[in-house]
């Protein structure tokens, strides 16, 4: 599942990822020593840390996708979800189509708390922080980061 990085980062900030206030933060991935972000991590802003998480996660998925047969890898664009694309996903997962309409109505992980502006309202510095880390994959997925 791919999602616009600005939307992902906004959600992560609203959920307090990488702040020490989220109950799962001690288990969240961070850069390894061979990652260019490793030496800068402590100075990263919350946007940069969550942008790194988006990028690292999607890089992992891309690498995995290249290691398996095409028939075993499905990329689902969260931002283009519709009944048709969800049917395609369910078909790939070999789930019955009767579940599509039921699952389209459910918002299981809807954000209810936290305050951070939508990506379209970010200033140029915030967007640049995101673009520096997520730019290449964002281009591949056709996400506009301006």
């Amino acid at each position: 599942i791919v999602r616009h990085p600005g939307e992902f980062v906004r959600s992560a900030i609203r959920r307090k990822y990488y702040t020490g206030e989220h109950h799962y933060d001690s288990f969240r991935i961070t850069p390894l020593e061979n990652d260019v972000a490793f030496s800068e991590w402590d100075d990263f802003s919350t946007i940069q840390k969550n942008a790194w998480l988006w990028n690292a996660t999607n890089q992992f998925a891309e690498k995995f996708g290249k290691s398996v047969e095409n028939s075993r890898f499905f990329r689902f664009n969260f931002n283009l979800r519709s009944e048709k694309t969800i049917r395609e996903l369910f078909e790939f997962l070999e789930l019955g189509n009767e579940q599509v309409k039921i699952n389209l109505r459910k918002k299981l992980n809807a954000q209810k708390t936290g305050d951070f502006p939508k990506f379209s309202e970010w200033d140029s510095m915030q967007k640049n922080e995101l673009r520096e880390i997520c730019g290449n994959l964002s281009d591949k997925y056709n996400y506009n980061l301006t």
Side-chain angles (χ1 to χ4, degrees), residues 74 76 80-92 97 99-101 103-104:
F74 186 89
F76 181 80
L80 300 177
R81 68 193 179 283
S82 66
E83 187 170 334
K84 178 184 181 286
T85 60
I86 291 174
R87 281 189 192 284
E88 291 168 355
L89 174 62
F90 275 46
E91 184 178 306
F92 174 77
N97 277 335
Q99 294 296 314
V100 173
K101 286 191 189 246
N103 285 285
L104 275 173

Side-chain angles (χ1 to χ4, degrees), residues 75-122:
R75 182 179 295 118
F76 181 80
N77 188 326
F78 183 82
N79 298 98
L80 300 177
R81 68 193 179 283
S82 66
E83 187 170 334
K84 178 184 181 286
T85 60
I86 291 174
R87 281 189 192 284
E88 291 168 355
L89 174 62
F90 275 46
E91 184 178 306
F92 174 77
L93 296 172
E94 298 178 358
L95 298 172
N97 277 335
E98 66 276 358
Q99 294 296 314
V100 173
K101 286 191 189 246
I102 294 168
N103 285 285
L104 275 173
R105 289 186 217 118
K106 291 181 183 179
K107 286 198 170 194
L108 299 175
N109 198 24
Q111 186 78 33
K112 295 180 180 117
T113 61
D115 186 31
F116 198 78
K118 293 180 179 179
F119 177 73
S120 61
E121 300 167 2
W122 291 11

Side-chain angles (χ1 to χ4, degrees), residues 21-57:
E21 297 177 47
H22 190 280
H23 66 281
Y24 195 73
D25 265 355
S26 61
F27 303 104
R28 205 167 308 286
I29 64 171
T30 57
L32 298 173
E33 287 185 42
N34 62 342
D35 188 315
V36 294
F38 180 80
S39 62
E40 302 170 15
W41 186 254
D42 290 338
D43 296 324
F44 269 11
S45 70
T46 309
I47 288 175
Q48 289 170 311
K49 287 180 178 181
N50 287 291
W52 178 87
L53 175 61
W54 180 92
N55 197 64
T57 301

